[in-house]
Amino acid sequence: MPDSVGGSGIFFKGFDKLVHLGFFFVLTVLLFFGKIRHQHNYTFSSLTIFKIMVITAFVGGGIELIQLEFFPYRSAEWWDFGCDMIGVLMGVFSYVLLHKSDYNEKKN
């Protein structure tokens, strides 16, 4: 049995970075979805985008700090945090793209 996920053959080198990116993309999309459901409309707010980016940055940074301080078998990496934020930016881009499109507008 391999010692690490990267050496198993099922996964490839950098797979964990892709997982970070994917999880934070999904987290961001779900946060936007929750905000839209909570306010019952699709109004666009730059403040909402800023709040979600700050929340996800704290979550990503917190995860890395927890790994650094409390789990000796795990390591904290700037690349992981960077991939987290790329996932967040992808989620923000998706929100802005869909919000600015005619996708959510009612046709007469």
Side-chain angles (χ1 to χ4, degrees):
M1 248 204 222
D3 292 337
S4 68
V5 172
S8 69
I10 296 173
F11 304 105
F12 50 88
K13 185 176 180 177
F15 180 77
D16 65 323
K17 306 302 184 253
L18 186 62
V19 169
H20 277 268
L21 189 141
F23 279 154
F24 274 80
F25 171 76
V26 171
L27 173 63
T28 304
V29 169
L30 290 175
L31 287 171
F32 278 120
F33 179 73
K35 178 64 176 164
I36 290 167
R37 292 281 303 229
H38 177 71
Q39 66 187 13
H40 302 294
N41 63 29
Y42 286 96
T43 58
F44 183 80
S45 171
S46 298
L47 182 60
T48 299
I49 293 173
F50 178 74
K51 285 178 184 178
I52 288 176
M53 290 182 74
V54 168
I55 289 167
T56 53
F58 275 118
V59 169
I63 289 170
E64 294 305 313
L65 287 175
I66 288 170
Q67 285 181 356
L68 178 67
E69 295 296 324
F70 298 110
F71 297 105
Y73 55 90
R74 297 291 311 244
S75 64
E77 295 182 18
W78 283 107
W79 286 111
D80 287 347
F81 181 73
C83 288
D84 295 344
M85 293 301 100
I86 291 171
V88 170
L89 291 174
M90 288 171 54
V92 169
F93 176 75
S94 299
Y95 170 72
V96 170
L97 182 70
L98 288 175
H99 186 274
K100 294 294 183 182
S101 73
D102 291 335
Y103 177 74
N104 58 8
E105 301 296 325
K106 293 185 178 185
K107 305 282 186 200
N108 290 341

